[in-house]
Amino acid sequence: MTAVAHRRPHTPPLASPFLEFDLTLETDRLHGETTWNTGQNARTLIKYDDLRVVLMALEAGAKIPAHKANGRITVQVLSGHIRLNASKRAFDLLPGSLLALDQRAPPPSRGA
């Protein structure tokens, strides 16, 4: 029996008692959208009052301007390499890396 990817005919909810994602499929979708032509694309997967999960795809060499989040953040790298500057230091994140920053940490700036 061959597994077939289930495609939803509508946009999935961002908040629900149960949410499940195939991150490989979600990343492939980001690369397939026309906005990928800019070298970066993102999709909010989960959005609650106190938690937001955003999947980002960045082309090698892409940079995201410094900004401040209104809460704690985590950055998990699925593939590639990210250099993130925060808390007066640089973090080099490789696949499998996870970084958590408290809401009082100085604003991060990111680059891939």
Side-chain angles (χ1 to χ4, degrees):
M1 183 172 169
T2 305
V4 176
H6 175 68
R7 296 198 181 264
R8 298 174 194 216
H10 54 83
T11 303
L14 298 177
S16 172
F18 178 85
L19 296 169
E20 182 178 24
F21 299 92
D22 178 333
L23 295 179
T24 301
L25 179 62
E26 294 295 336
T27 301
D28 289 346
R29 284 182 187 161
L30 289 177
H31 287 128
E33 293 176 357
T34 56
T35 50
W36 176 245
N37 294 334
T38 65
Q40 64 184 55
N41 199 2
R43 172 178 288 143
T44 300
L45 299 176
I46 302 168
K47 186 175 181 182
Y48 296 102
D49 291 339
D50 61 346
L51 173 70
R52 185 173 299 176
V53 175
V54 179
L55 178 64
M56 297 180 80
L58 300 170
E59 189 174 65
K63 295 185 186 289
I64 298 174
H67 65 281
K68 180 177 167 83
N70 294 329
R72 293 179 176 101
I73 69 165
T74 61
V75 177
Q76 181 178 5
V77 179
L78 301 176
S79 65
H81 169 247
I82 292 176
R83 171 165 272 204
L84 186 142
N85 297 306
S87 298
K88 300 181 182 176
R89 62 177 283 201
F91 298 91
D92 284 304
L93 306 174
L94 298 171
S97 297
L98 175 67
L99 173 67
L101 296 170
D102 194 13
Q103 58 193 7
R104 292 175 297 280
S109 61
R110 294 180 235 180

